[in-house]
């Protein structure tokens, strides 16, 4: 944060794959603020970004409803608005650190970002459509299309939530991101936001909501986004849902240099399961020290944290942070391996080097 | 908000003068979110933007203190951090609408923006310096310099606050803006943020804080930022301080077209004097209707508001919004003229045209 004098907005994105486009957020873009600027917000696509004409685009709401709806953007904007700051994390964030390695995008730590989303509550739209008895789930369908080598198992991106899940998460249909229309790579003109859940549920380029009476068995939620591991020779499976508790060290820079003397260690922490209870920090293997948490505890959005300490001599220092949520879940020491590499919320270690100071308080 | 499919961040800034650089925020960039992206944040300069080398930059804290300080950016970053969302409005915002016209930048309505600022509380720094008895005010000095035609009356930008004002506003020394290092045009590396006050107090490129024992009589606060008007043949003067209560209509677009049917009217409102009590909206001269306010009432940051109504026939419609704060201050019907054109918080009127709809809810 202290090294730029260019006035530039900074580091942009780190490209992981070009087709489909997948990029992660540089940790340096996560210093200091709550929301991530749109140009630094991580991008996760399963297929190519579709071409969409906003004037012709419509959202169809059908299935087990009394009044099927066909809504243009103007219709949605004229419904009561809801503003929600929500953190989105790719379930595969941290996959690159699993051993043995697993296939899939090799995300390091930056497939997570936070935005202030504006839109319409899904409940508001479903109330206008009117649910029929027997309605159990809402299926979200995207305008994207599988082509060529990306086509196996799915023609387009689909995801469902039970109506209980819709209610509990207070799902938003978002048309704006940090006060701007959704950028096309983030789902223009409309995206599902499921606060607290991994980003996979945040369907982009939404064109259809179908209310169904039976559990939806789509490819992405039955074949793909599933924790899978063996225990006692048996295959265990669990669907990917809420974000696991996790923390990230954003300051000081990994592999950076710091002055001997006062040192601020800062970062972000979140859990989609329960609001954070605490974040602890350990310096070079020392005892866990409680960090100060800023902002309101919430399963929707990350919180900033800070620990002020002192560095007494030169050399290597290892910093670790560990978040614990109100459901008493905490970060494991080592990654919990699973076949497709989801939910790696292991404790992060950042190594820095301390040196003699170059500037200081006068008189210190 | 509904008309873009480019994924571009949008409208940038509206240039008012190039030297010194002064730009206002397009109202279209204020739709939807709380914070204004850095690239859309209005820019107000009295002098040229200085060139600053962050590695050599220091903040000097002196005058009536026991331990004068000389702080680099690293020193500041290693102090406890404070995060504060604060609205900054230029005291001359709306000057262009005064009659008779007054000199100065001809701001329309966009010399106002909001950011999440990160920095160190001024109280924290003053505590470390230690105030001597007799300390009364803090004078803030900028690295900018008057040159040529901008030089009259002042060699550099300076502003002071009493220590009571510092305490009441909980003044921040900010090094980050929306999670990024301060852009140079916004005061890199350090800027004063005085929540609730007009932007004039938010001294940029801060290099010096002098604690003094007498009221500071600087050019900008005694000659320039003063409400001045005649009453009963006598000149009355009052210094510019907190932002007056005000509201802004951001949707629908001024001079735009809307469909007959449901209409959402949205905007922003703020007061630096007291938290907002209410925002009312009048449609085509009809009764004032209470809008819904979002977020937490605060003198630091604006709040979003929304009124959902219906348009029953085609033709011209005049929309007006009026904010009232907890100190029972409200917006006047007409601008209150003063010699230098400050604090014009008159009710805004937006004219739109209604037409037959092109898209609608099915079955409506």
């Amino acid at each position: 944060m202290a090294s730029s004098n260019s006035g530039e907005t900074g580091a942009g994105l780190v490209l992981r794959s070009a087709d489909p486009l997948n990029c992660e957020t540089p940790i340096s873009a996560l210093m200091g603020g709550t929301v991530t600027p749109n140009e630094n917000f991580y991008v996760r696509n399963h297929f190519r970004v579709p071409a969409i004409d906003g004037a012709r685009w419509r959202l169809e709401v059908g299935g087990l409803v009394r009044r099927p709806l066909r809504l243009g953007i103007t219709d949605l904007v004229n419904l009561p608005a809801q503003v929600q700051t929500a953190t989105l994390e790719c379930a595969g964030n941290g996959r690159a650190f699993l051993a043995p390695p697993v296939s899939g995008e090799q995300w390091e730590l930056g497939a997570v970002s936070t935005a202030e989303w504006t839109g319409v509550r899904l409940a508001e739209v479903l109330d206008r459509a009117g649910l029929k008895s027997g309605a159990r789930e809402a299926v979200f369908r995207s305008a994207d299309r599988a082509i060529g080598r990306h086509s196996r198992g799915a023609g387009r991106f689909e995801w469902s939530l039970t109506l209980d899940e819709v209610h509990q998460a207070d799902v938003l249909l978002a048309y704006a991101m940090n006060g701007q229309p959704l950028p096309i790579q983030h789902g223009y003109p409309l995206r599902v936001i499921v606060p607290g859940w991994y980003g996979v549920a945040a369907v982009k380029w939404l064109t259809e909501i179908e209310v169904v009476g039976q559990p939806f068995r789509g490819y992405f939620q039955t074949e793909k986004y599933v924790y899978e591991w063996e225990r006692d020779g048996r295959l265990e499976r669990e669907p990917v849902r809420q974000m696991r508790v996790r923390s990230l060290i954003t300051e000081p820079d990994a592999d950076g240099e710091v002055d001997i003397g006062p040192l601020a260690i800062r970062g972000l922490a979140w859990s989609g399961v329960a609001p954070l209870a605490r974040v602890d920090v350990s310096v070079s293997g020392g005892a866990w020290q409680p960090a100060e948490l800023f902002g309101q505890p919430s399963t929707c959005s990350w919180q900033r944290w800070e620990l002020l300490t002192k560095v007494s001599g030169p050399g290597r220092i290892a910093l670790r942070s560990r978040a614990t949520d109100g459901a008493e879940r905490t970060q494991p020491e080592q990654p919990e391996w699973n076949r497709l590499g989801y939910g790696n919320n292991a404790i992060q270690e950042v190594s820095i080097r301390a040196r003699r100071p170059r500037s200081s308080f006068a008189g210190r």
Side-chain angles (χ1 to χ4, degrees), chain A residues 12 22 90 113 127-128 132 152 173 228 259 305 319 346 354:
Chain A
N22 284 294
C90 179
S113 301
D127 283 353
R128 284 172 194 247
K132 285 189 177 166
R152 67 163 177 232
L173 305 178
E228 247 184 57
D259 290 343
W305 55 262
L319 306 175

Side-chain angles (χ1 to χ4, degrees), chain A residues 94-102 106 335-338 340-342 344:
Chain A
R95 179 184 286 135
F97 303 112
L98 291 180
V102 297
Q106 295 301 301
E336 293 171 359
W337 190 92
N338 54 86
L340 292 166
Y342 295 119
N344 174 9

Side-chain angles (χ1 to χ4, degrees), chain A residues 45-68:
Chain A
N45 292 310
H46 293 87
F47 308 120
R48 283 199 189 151
V49 173
I52 294 196
D53 175 351
R56 289 160 177 265
W57 173 93
R58 293 292 181 277
L59 172 67
E60 310 269 356
V61 183
L64 296 175
V65 298
R66 284 187 296 237
R67 293 175 297 277

Side-chain angles (χ1 to χ4, degrees), chain A residues 228-301:
Chain A
E228 247 184 57
W229 69 100
E230 281 199 17
R231 180 149 44 188
D232 305 331
R234 285 209 346 241
L235 187 69
E236 310 232 359
R237 306 181 92 235
E238 194 187 301
V240 167
R241 288 200 171 99
Q242 283 97 340
M243 298 183 291
R244 291 176 170 180
V245 63
R246 190 165 197 175
S247 63
L248 196 58
I249 297 170
T250 59
E251 293 175 64
D253 288 342
D255 302 318
E257 290 197 328
V258 301
D259 290 343
I260 292 170
L263 175 67
I265 306 165
R266 298 195 175 94
L268 297 158
W270 62 96
S271 167
V273 176
L276 289 181
R278 54 189 296 134
V279 171
D280 297 287
V281 176
S282 165
V283 179
S284 291
W288 290 107
Q289 304 173 63
E292 186 176 357
L293 277 166
F294 297 96
Q296 292 303 310
S298 154
T299 54
C300 303
S301 170

